[in-house]
Structure formats: structure tokens, C-alpha cells
Amino acid sequence: MEMINVALPKGRLGEKVYDFFERAGYPCPSIKEPNRKLIFENPACGVRYFWVKPSDVAIYVERGAADIGVAGKDILLEYEPDVYELLDLGFGKCRMAVAAPKTFRDDPARTLRVATKFSNIAAAYYAEKCRDIDIIHLNGSIEIAPILGLSDVIVDIVETGKTLLENDLEPRETIVPISARLIANKSSYKFKSDEILTMKERVAALLENSK
Ligand code: PRP
């Protein structure tokens, strides 16, 4: 049996995803040990997990360093990695949205200044609306950009809406719903097809049962 290499997003979402894989028949008990290791394997069930930064999962999978990964739809839309999207896992549900200070009134005659970590998603969204924008690419704490006058609006992920609320911003438009996706490297999908299809089926069955 060939080992399947699985890139998991490090953090809150990743722990949930690992528990799910465990229940789907891919346990790897050493992953729960309190240490800072990043790679764990369980040859008995043919799986090797590694923790990577959530926004890097798709890179590992696209280049074949991982056969399988779990990435947010936000990352897939933003970077368009050349991978197969196998399943919507339904975890990590949130949405990509435009948000603005409560007092902001849009003037369509002016170029809209948009701060975001998701420049491609924002550009595509406004291009479709034929709206002129100026993108200000940031790497985090996007919510403070309109407060400090750096931008008019933001395009960012909204989960509970708490971050917006606590920074006096409000959601104005939903761009797209987001959730975690199971993705596969294209050549692994061909050359490890038995292992990958089995994994996909087990995960799909567990999703079905947990509905
Ligand atoms: C995201 C996003 C918001 C927050 C929204 O950040 O950028 O800041 O979550 O969640 P809420 O609607 O429940 O308040 P994340 O925690 O992913 O960290 P990041 O800024 O490093 O991306």
C-alpha cells in the first residue's frame, strides 16, 4: 500500500479536520502528543499528515509534496491552484464579504478604495460590476484599514461578524460562501488512485452519516 501524504491546515480548523479523518479510518495517534513536530505518520493505515499554514496547503498539493489537503474555498478562489477539488467538507463555514464603516456612503462616481488580503477575489468581483477600484493589499488586520482612512471598504472573511461589529464596521455585500474543501494533486490522483478514491469515499460516507 502506498502512503498518502495529507497537508492539514495548522490551527483550529485543522484539529477538527484531523478528528474527522481519524473517524473516517485514518487515525494517527502520535499527532495528539504535546510536541512541536509537524509531520506524523501511521504506516498501518497508510497515512502521513503534516501541519502547514492554511494558506500554503494548496501549494503543497499543487506541487505534489502532498497528495491530499484541506483548504478553504477562499484560498482556492484567490490563488486558483491547479488541483482537483474532491469534496466540500462543510467545516469552516463563513463568507467572503464587503464591509464598510456604518457611516460610509458609496459614491459610484469615485474610485472605491478596497483593502483586502484577497486581491484577486476583490478585483474579479468589482470587475463584474464594472466598478473602478483601487486595491490596497494587506496581510492581516484588514478591519482597521477603513478606520484609519487607508481604504473605504474591506473585502474579507466574515464568520460570526464579531470582528466587524467590534470595529464599527458592517457587512454590506456577500461575495461568495466559503467552506473547507478536500483537494488532491492531479498526478497523485492518477498514480495513487486506489488510495485516494478510498479516502474520498470514506470521507464522503462519514459526511453523509454526520448530516
Ligand atoms: C478572519 C477574518 C476576520 C475574522 C472574522 O481572520 O480576517 O478578521 O476571521 O471572523 P468573525 O466574523 O467570526 O469575527 P482569521 O481569524 O482567519 O485570521 P487572519 O486575519 O490571520 O486571517
Side-chain angles (χ1 to χ4, degrees), residues 5-210:
N5 294 301
V6 181
L8 294 176
K10 202 164 186 255
R12 248 180 320 153
L13 175 66
E15 319 239 313
K16 263 176 99 173
V17 172
Y18 167 73
D19 287 340
F20 192 81
F21 273 83
E22 184 179 80
R23 283 166 51 216
Y26 298 93
C28 184
S30 57
I31 210 168
K32 299 267 184 176
E33 286 166 11
N35 58 43
R36 299 206 172 183
K37 279 173 65 165
L38 297 171
I39 303 186
F40 303 89
E41 61 179 47
N42 183 359
C45 57
V47 71
R48 180 184 294 121
Y49 292 107
F50 35 94
W51 295 119
V52 306
K53 202 172 165 175
S55 50
D56 289 340
V57 167
I59 300 175
Y60 282 82
V61 174
E62 181 176 37
R63 292 181 173 261
D67 303 306
I68 291 283
V70 174
K73 185 68 180 173
D74 51 331
I75 301 295
L76 303 180
L77 290 170
E78 179 65 18
Y79 299 105
E80 300 187 342
D82 191 18
V83 297
Y84 290 132
E85 193 181 312
L86 303 181
L87 289 172
D88 182 344
L89 297 177
F91 311 128
K93 277 202 170 130
C94 52
R95 61 196 170 108
M96 187 66 65
V98 178
K102 291 179 181 127
T103 52
F104 175 71
R105 292 287 157 268
D106 192 10
D107 173 1
R110 281 189 48 228
T111 298
L112 187 67
R113 296 172 307 152
V114 183
T116 188
K117 216 163 28 174
F118 301 95
S119 296
N120 294 328
I121 293 176
Y125 176 69
Y126 285 105
E128 185 145 305
K129 293 163 78 96
C130 296
R131 182 70 210 269
D132 259 345
I133 60 165
D134 178 9
I135 292 195
I136 299 147
H137 187 91
L138 298 176
N139 296 301
S141 301
I142 317 295
E143 291 83 0
I144 65 172
I147 300 172
L148 300 179
L150 180 63
S151 74
D152 300 312
V153 301
I154 65 172
V155 164
D156 200 12
I157 284 171
V158 180
E159 191 182 347
T160 60
K162 219 170 155 218
T163 310
L164 293 182
L165 197 68
E166 292 185 1
N167 289 288
D168 292 321
L169 302 176
E170 61 183 17
R172 292 285 176 96
E173 296 151 56
T174 293
I175 299 179
V176 65
I178 304 290
S179 57
R181 307 296 160 104
L182 187 70
I183 58 173
N185 172 268
K186 288 191 166 176
S187 62
S188 304
Y189 193 79
K190 221 188 276 166
F191 296 112
K192 294 188 185 176
S193 62
D194 287 351
E195 290 85 354
I196 291 180
L197 285 177
T198 303
M199 181 178 265
K200 179 187 168 186
E201 278 161 22
R202 288 185 184 175
V203 168
L206 184 57
L207 280 177
E208 199 53 41
N209 287 337
S210 27

